[in-house]
Amino acid sequence: MDDRIISRVRELREKIERYNYFYYVKNESIVSDYEYDKLLKELEDYEGEYPELKDENSPSQIVGSSLKETKFTKVVHKKPMLSLSNTYNIKDVEDFNTRVKKILSSEQNIDYVLELKLDGLSISLHYEKGVLVQGLTRGDGSIGEDVTENIMQISSIPRFLKDEVDIEVRGEIVLPLSEFEKLNEVRVKNEEEPFANPRNAASGTLRQLDSEIVKQRNLDCYFYYLVDSEQHGVAKHNESLKYIAELGFKTTGIYDVCKSIDELEERIQYWEEHRENLDYETDGMVIKVDQLGFYDKLGATTKSPRWAIAYKFPAKQVSTRLLDVSYQVGRMGTVTPVAELEPVEVSGSVVRRASLHNFDEIKRKEIKIGDKVFIEKAAEIIPQVVRVVKEARSGEEREIVEPEKCPVCGGELERKLGEVALKCMNDRCPAKLQRRIEYFVSRDAMNIDGLGTKIVERFIEIGKLKDVSDVYDLHLYREELENLEKMGKKSVENLILSIEESKKREYSKTLYALGIPFVGKYLANVLSVESKNIDRLMEMGEEELLTIDGVGKKVAHSVYQFFKNEDNLAMIDRLKNYGVNFQEKSSEGTGEELKFKGKTFLATGKLKHYTRNGIKEVIEKFGGENLSGVSKKLDYLIVGEKAGSKLKKAQELGNITILSEEEFLNMIS
């Protein structure tokens, strides 16, 4: 056998064992789930191809932790707590279905149950005559840790069942996202290291020797598996979920019985898109054969059952190397440090750069150039550096030095007292101008299609774009536009038509496009309705602005100062001369009625008639405000299919009006 293969197998085992130690013992993730699973799959492939390399002590044969450093009593599981085989590829789900059918060749009508895969800590509970007697962690799959005293502090774990049965039920202990945010806020205030993610927080909490800490952190638990279901008169897995719920166990209540692979794939896609509505982390879906009578025939490997598989969603958080730091200057002059990364795939796309937010954040997280860092996509859009893996440092890492001058124009930088933002004070900074123009032409503003970053950069460089109003002179430079890469006569013609069309945009959109500090889409709509035209708005003093609902001191001062700036007034005059609309239309349906003025809205679940952004625009058009979460400030919750935890929370609060999509349509008709 090639020595390189033996060496690689040894390296893989050492790496995986080290990652297991940090994950299960230290409650720290020093590598992403995706990277860990790739390494484990590579090891399994080698051991499968070369049987002589197999070893019963290999991490491919062991479930979870070795329990060498546990502080709790070790207890042997009556039935092993196996882990599931993972895949990130829908093709593997199809292969799983093929294998199941092959093994059950004489069987017909195989159904599958699709459930959420919660990202927490597995637990097994034992009840005698309906009374909780013991709680065990997964441990190494054969032996778990006795954490009975700690699980007694979790309110969603029943101490007494509704029936006096002897039973073993397994579930997942999680820290709700809302509690995770509160916990980290407190830790930061107390100058403690915040938890990296809810899973680590849940695991670290359950292993506290002081059970009072467990009680304070408001852990939650959802149950998903009844051991020896058939002994309780249950023939199918979906029936076992209903049975344990009747006994008093908390389940997610979210599962689908699927009769084909097409149904499975359709529901997996649905939850990949809608999992953000949940108040707990879920990193994938679990697929189980529904008929319990097939389980013995399907059997299991030493580590995983053959009657179930886990499909994991594309990684939200992965680790990579921070190679360098560059700087981005925003339209208001804010200098943002940007991490230049070793390319890595996150949530289905390759990421090479990520936000470091500001220099205070860099200091707080102790980030250095050369560090191994975890990144994630904030709100599934903007990559950001979450934390550093200090254990991976070699000593050659370099400090990130705050710039003394603007990295673009060399102008003076200033940080106002009490603010974290470092700002370029040069009003003529090319980077500030570029960001202002990009903001002006963006979809939510003037919506000028085809005027991308490359065109803006080039025309600033040759002196043809000195102000946002210069956009309306671009028709004079057809030849220069046509000579740009990926531009031709047709593209230029479409761009010029889009620029001309933008002059007819609603007054509220034009107002938003000006980029007045603190004036977003909602306030731009309110100000446009209240003022009717730009001239009237420019006449308003701070006191009058404060009489408008939704306008506070900061906004009033910002609007007033914006219209006292001579450069801004000159820009508005130029835009008027080009024919840009600064007048509120009086026709019905433009938002003048402000039916929803002073009311707050939130949409959840799958909508039939709107996209999520589409319904937000309608709400703002009629003067309403969109909220991002359910709270006492919310007036209306618009509910689509599979509404989830937001609907439940709204019902619990009791003061929120819950609307179907049809009821909302009636309100605006």
Side-chain angles (χ1 to χ4, degrees):
M1 187 187 300
D2 193 326
D3 287 344
R4 287 174 298 180
I5 294 174
I6 297 172
S7 176
R8 179 57 178 163
V9 167
R10 187 183 300 117
E11 180 188 5
L12 287 168
R13 287 173 178 169
E14 288 173 357
K15 277 187 176 182
I16 294 168
E17 284 170 358
R18 181 168 183 263
Y19 297 151
N20 282 346
Y21 170 77
F22 276 95
Y23 188 81
Y24 292 108
V25 179
K26 306 287 283 185
N27 300 312
E28 295 176 24
S29 303
I30 64 171
V31 67
S32 70
D33 286 356
Y34 178 69
E35 292 165 280
Y36 178 91
D37 290 338
K38 275 178 65 177
L39 293 174
L40 187 59
K41 180 70 166 62
E42 185 182 354
L43 176 60
E44 289 171 346
D45 287 346
Y46 274 124
E47 292 175 343
E49 189 173 350
Y50 304 101
E52 61 268 37
L53 289 176
K54 283 193 174 181
D55 185 334
E56 63 179 16
N57 295 314
S58 171
S60 67
Q61 305 301 309
I62 297 171
V63 177
S65 166
S66 66
L67 297 176
K68 288 179 182 176
E69 297 189 28
T70 182
K71 299 171 284 188
F72 298 92
T73 304
K74 299 176 189 177
V75 178
V76 176
H77 289 295
K78 292 179 181 177
K79 278 208 166 182
M81 286 188 75
L82 302 178
S83 66
L84 296 178
S85 297
N86 291 325
T87 181
Y88 293 83
N89 188 342
I90 202 71
K91 176 68 166 57
D92 291 338
V93 175
E94 295 169 1
D95 291 344
F96 164 74
N97 176 52
T98 301
R99 286 195 303 273
V100 167
K101 287 187 173 182
K102 186 176 180 180
I103 296 171
L104 302 175
S105 55
S106 61
E107 310 292 350
Q108 300 295 320
N109 302 322
I110 301 166
D111 297 335
Y112 295 104
V113 176
L114 184 72
E115 302 169 75
L116 296 171
K117 183 179 181 298
L118 304 190
D119 195 11
L121 181 73
S122 296
I123 195 79
S124 184
L125 303 185
H126 294 264
Y127 289 78
E128 293 179 2
K129 298 191 182 303
V131 179
L132 176 61
V133 294
Q134 193 174 59
L136 304 176
T137 66
R138 185 196 300 277
D140 65 3
S142 298
I143 300 172
E145 302 159 288
D146 189 331
V147 289
T148 308
E149 187 176 349
N150 282 353
I151 62 164
M152 294 286 193
Q153 310 306 317
I154 301 173
S155 59
S156 54
I157 291 181
R159 294 195 183 192
F160 304 95
L161 302 182
K162 294 179 181 178
D163 196 1
E164 295 182 0
V165 290
D166 296 341
I167 202 167
E168 181 181 354
V169 177
R170 291 171 179 176
E172 197 84 357
I173 292 176
V174 299
L175 183 65
L177 293 172
S178 51
E179 295 296 333
F180 173 68
E181 289 167 8
K182 291 177 192 174
L183 176 58
N184 269 352
E185 282 176 14
V186 172
R187 290 180 73 83
V188 170
K189 283 179 185 176
N190 294 339
E191 298 185 353
E192 296 176 293
E193 186 72 21
F195 285 110
N197 53 59
R199 189 269 165 201
N200 286 6
S203 181
T205 299
L206 194 69
R207 291 191 172 94
Q208 291 288 325
L209 292 177
D210 183 354
S211 60
E212 189 59 32
I213 294 175
V214 182
K215 185 176 183 179
Q216 292 168 3
R217 290 185 181 170
N218 296 323
L219 294 176
D220 205 349
C221 190
Y222 294 89
F223 294 88
Y224 56 77
Y225 185 65
L226 172 61
V227 178
D228 294 328
S229 299
E230 290 168 293
Q231 292 182 12
H232 300 277
V234 177
K236 294 187 176 182
H237 176 62
N238 83 82
E239 294 171 359
S240 73
L241 294 175
K242 295 172 187 173
Y243 175 63
I244 62 175
E246 289 168 2
L247 287 175
F249 291 103
K250 186 175 184 179
T251 68
T252 64
I254 297 171
Y255 65 88
D256 294 289
V257 178
C258 301
K259 297 185 178 297
S260 70
I261 195 70
D262 290 339
E263 279 186 60
L264 277 174
E265 291 180 11
E266 181 186 332
R267 297 310 294 166
I268 286 171
Q269 185 178 351
Y270 174 86
W271 280 111
E272 194 165 343
E273 295 170 1
H274 290 79
R275 59 185 167 134
E276 300 303 321
N277 295 329
L278 304 170
D279 193 34
Y280 42 79
E281 285 278 2
T282 176
D283 59 352
M285 306 298 293
V286 175
I287 302 158
K288 297 174 185 171
V289 172
D290 193 24
Q291 292 93 332
L292 301 174
F294 295 159
Y295 284 19
D296 284 344
K297 189 169 183 179
L298 288 165
T301 67
T302 56
K303 189 175 179 180
S304 307
R306 291 195 180 93
W307 41 262
I309 190 172
Y311 172 83
K312 298 186 82 170
F313 298 132
K316 290 175 66 177
Q317 195 178 93
V318 300
S319 60
T320 186
R321 190 72 57 184
L322 195 160
L323 303 176
D324 204 352
V325 173
S326 58
Y327 301 99
Q328 195 173 69
V329 181
R331 63 188 177 90
M332 307 304 295
T334 302
V335 178
T336 303
V338 178
E340 303 292 340
L341 307 164
E342 278 185 2
V344 64
E345 187 172 309
V346 189
S347 296
S349 62
V350 176
V351 171
R352 292 177 172 83
R353 309 177 83 212
S355 175
L356 290 166
H357 298 296
N358 55 60
F359 296 97
D360 283 9
E361 272 290 282
I362 289 172
K363 289 175 184 174
R364 186 180 72 78
K365 293 176 179 173
E366 300 180 48
I367 302 170
K368 296 182 180 182
I369 294 171
D371 268 335
K372 185 176 184 180
V373 295
F374 270 81
I375 63 167
E376 71 177 13
K377 283 191 179 178
E380 293 298 306
I381 301 170
I382 305 166
Q384 60 180 337
V385 173
V386 181
R387 62 187 173 93
V388 172
V389 183
K390 294 176 185 174
E391 296 80 8
R393 282 181 173 163
S394 65
E396 296 181 6
E397 293 76 19
R398 294 178 286 128
E399 297 289 339
I400 298 171
V401 181
E402 193 173 303
E404 296 179 358
K405 299 286 184 181
C406 174
V408 175
C409 70
E412 294 297 320
L413 296 178
E414 181 182 294
R415 180 185 280 111
K416 290 184 179 179
L417 188 65
E419 293 185 3
V420 297
L422 192 66
K423 292 187 176 181
C424 171
M425 305 311 293
N426 176 16
D427 287 336
R428 305 294 178 187
C429 176
K432 291 169 71 172
L433 174 59
Q434 180 180 331
R435 303 295 177 226
R436 283 199 295 269
I437 293 172
E438 289 172 349
Y439 184 86
F440 183 81
V441 306
S442 65
R443 181 176 295 178
D444 291 332
M446 303 308 284
N447 192 18
I448 298 176
D449 192 29
L451 189 52
T453 299
K454 295 295 181 185
I455 298 176
V456 174
E457 279 181 354
R458 177 59 182 154
F459 275 73
I460 289 174
E461 187 182 313
I462 63 177
K464 304 300 185 185
L465 284 177
K466 298 176 182 176
D467 183 270
V468 296
S469 61
D470 290 337
V471 165
Y472 294 98
D473 274 337
L474 284 178
H475 66 280
L476 302 173
Y477 310 109
R478 287 175 181 266
E479 188 176 341
E480 289 93 332
L481 286 165
E482 288 173 9
N483 288 332
L484 290 174
E485 187 181 354
K486 295 184 180 179
M487 293 292 283
K489 287 184 182 294
K490 185 65 176 174
S491 297
V492 172
E493 188 62 36
N494 289 338
L495 171 59
I496 291 170
L497 285 172
S498 186
I499 291 171
E500 190 62 27
E501 186 66 24
S502 73
K503 295 176 183 179
K504 304 173 188 175
R505 298 282 179 256
E506 294 175 10
Y507 170 36
S508 62
K509 289 189 176 292
T510 310
L511 197 57
Y512 171 73
L514 294 178
I516 303 170
F518 309 116
V519 176
K521 289 186 290 181
Y522 170 72
L523 280 175
N525 190 54
V526 171
L527 290 171
S528 68
V529 172
E530 292 291 341
S531 64
K532 301 295 188 287
N533 60 67
I534 194 76
D535 295 320
R536 175 73 185 98
L537 185 60
M538 290 192 291
E539 291 172 0
M540 291 184 179
E542 289 190 53
E543 292 300 319
E544 186 176 0
L545 287 164
L546 281 169
T547 64
I548 300 172
D549 282 349
V551 175
K553 287 184 178 180
K554 186 187 284 188
V555 173
H557 181 71
S558 176
V559 173
Y560 180 76
Q561 290 298 320
F562 184 87
F563 292 121
K564 292 303 172 191
N565 182 291
E566 293 297 328
D567 288 339
N568 292 337
L569 294 177
M571 173 188 67
I572 291 166
D573 280 340
R574 288 193 294 274
L575 290 170
K576 283 181 178 178
N577 291 334
Y578 284 117
V580 173
N581 176 45
F582 282 105
Q583 180 81 32
E584 180 71 11
K585 295 176 184 176
S586 58
S587 61
E588 188 176 343
T590 61
E592 184 171 338
E593 294 178 32
L594 288 186
K595 290 183 179 183
F596 300 154
K597 185 176 179 180
K599 299 298 182 182
T600 56
F601 290 78
L602 174 65
T604 185
K606 186 178 182 180
L607 303 175
K608 296 177 184 175
H609 305 287
Y610 296 101
T611 63
R612 194 55 52 84
N613 285 334
I615 200 165
K616 285 180 179 178
E617 286 186 6
V618 172
I619 289 163
E620 289 170 359
K621 176 180 174 182
F622 287 99
E625 182 181 358
N626 288 293
L627 298 187
S628 59
V630 176
S631 69
K632 291 180 180 178
K633 295 179 181 179
L634 184 64
D635 294 311
Y636 295 97
L637 180 70
I638 303 164
V639 176
E641 293 178 15
K642 302 279 186 179
S645 61
K646 289 181 181 176
L647 173 59
K648 186 177 180 181
K649 187 173 181 182
Q651 290 168 333
E652 289 171 353
L653 287 173
N655 64 326
I656 297 167
T657 302
I658 296 169
L659 301 173
S660 67
E661 199 173 350
E662 286 69 27
E663 288 170 327
F664 174 76
L665 286 168
N666 288 335
M667 287 177 70
I668 64 174
S669 63

